[in-house]
Amino acid sequence: MDERIATLNQRRYSLSQNRKKIISSLKEDQILFDPDDASELFREAGVLFSGQVKRDFQQLIAFNKAITDERRSYLIEERAEIEAELKTINTELNALGKRRSELLAYLSSADSFAKYKRLSNQLVTLRADIESLERQREFVQRLQKLRADIRTLAEEKTHLQAAIEADVEAKNADAGSLFSRIRLFFNEIIEDVIDQKALLSVVVNQNGHLDFRAELLDDAGIATSADRGFSYKKLLCIAFDLAMLRAHLDDAFPRFAFHDGVFESLDDRKKENLLGVIRRYSSLGLQSIITLIDTDLPSRTEGEPVFDESEIVVLLHDEDDSGRLFRMGPW
C-alpha cells in the first residue's frame, strides 16, 4: 500500500507541475504589438511608417494569432486531461490514506498483540485450507487418470475376452487340440468305470475366466443329474486329473496324481473298473497315489488280495506306534 501511495504522489506532483506550466503559457500567449499605435509613435518621431509596412505587420500578427489559437486549444485540452487524471489520483489517494489510517489505528490499539495472534491463526488456517484444496485437486486429477486407465483396461479386457471365446470355440472344434484329447481320455475313463458316456466342456464366464463342466450323459446323449452326487462327482474329478496327465504324457508335465478315498461309495464292480484304469495308466508311466480304508476294498474271494505287496506303500493302524504315519506317538 505504501509503495502505491508513493507512486501516486510522485505522479500527482509531476502532473501538478505540468498544469502550472500550461496555465502560465496560456497567460503569456498575448500579442501586445498594435500597428496603429506604432504608426502614431513613428509619426510623432518624424519617421515614415508606410502603409505597406503596416499591412505586413497585420499579416504577421494574424498568422501568429492563428498559431497561438491552435496552441491554446491544445494546451486547454491537455490541461483538462491532467485535471481529470489528478482528480482520479486524488480520489484513490484519499481512499488509500483512509485505509492506511485505519490499519495504523488498528495496529496501535491496546490489544494489537491479540489481533496479531488472531490474524496469524487465520493465516495458518487459510494456508492449511489451501494445502487441503491442492491435495484434493491432486486426488481429482489422479482419479481422472485412474478412470481413464479403467476404461482402457475394460476395452482391453473386452478384446481379450472375445479372443478367448474365439480360441475356446476353435479348440472345441479342433479334434487334434489338447482340450479335445483331454475330453476324449476323460470320456474313455468314465465309460470304462461306470459304462456311461461323459461330456467335458469349457465356457467363458462373465468375468472372462474358463469354466470347466463335466456331465454324465444318458443313452440319448442328454445330460443327467447323476454327476451331482458325491460319488460320481469325485469320480469325475479323478477322471479329469488322469486325462490331464495322459494328454501331457509327451510334455514336461507332472507324472503323478494323489486321490484320497478313491473307492468311497462305489459298488464293487465300479471299484474294480476304476482300479483297472489306474493300473493301465500306471503302465503308461503315470503314478497314481491313492488312499483307502479296508472297508472300501472291493470284495474278493477269500484269500485273494486286491493289491500286490509291491503296490502298497504303507499300512496304517491304531494298534501301536508302528501303524502311525511317520511312526510318531500320540500327543
Side-chain angles (χ1 to χ4, degrees), residues 208-254:
H209 302 156
L210 297 179
D211 281 343
F212 289 89
R213 299 175 183 175
E215 299 172 309
L216 295 177
L217 307 179
D218 58 17
D219 294 337
I222 300 175
T224 67
S225 60
D227 56 273
R228 299 177 186 174
F230 173 77
S231 299
Y232 282 174
K233 187 172 291 185
K234 177 178 282 190
L235 176 61
L236 293 173
C237 292
I238 294 171
F240 180 79
D241 292 342
L242 295 177
M244 178 76 73
L245 293 178
R246 184 174 177 182
H248 289 88
L249 194 59
D250 297 330
D251 304 325
F253 203 76

Side-chain angles (χ1 to χ4, degrees), residues 259-309:
H259 297 113
D260 182 37
V262 67
F263 291 151
E264 287 180 3
S265 304
L266 292 176
D267 59 47
D268 287 343
R269 185 178 63 84
K270 295 181 177 65
K271 291 177 182 178
E272 294 285 1
N273 293 339
L274 180 55
L275 183 57
V277 170
I278 292 174
R279 283 173 170 158
R280 187 169 72 249
Y281 272 64
S282 296
S283 66
L284 297 174
L286 300 174
Q287 182 181 17
S288 287
I289 305 171
I290 63 175
T291 63
L292 67 152
I293 58 178
D294 54 1
T295 57
D296 287 337
L297 289 171
S299 300
R300 294 285 181 91
T301 58
E302 187 176 354
E304 182 183 2
V306 176
F307 296 102
D308 185 83
E309 291 185 1

Side-chain angles (χ1 to χ4, degrees), residues 30 75 93 109 135 143 158 168 227 246-247 254:
Q30 297 180 5
L75 292 175
L93 282 173
S109 60
R135 287 195 298 270
L143 179 60
T158 301
V168 167
D227 56 273
R246 184 174 177 182

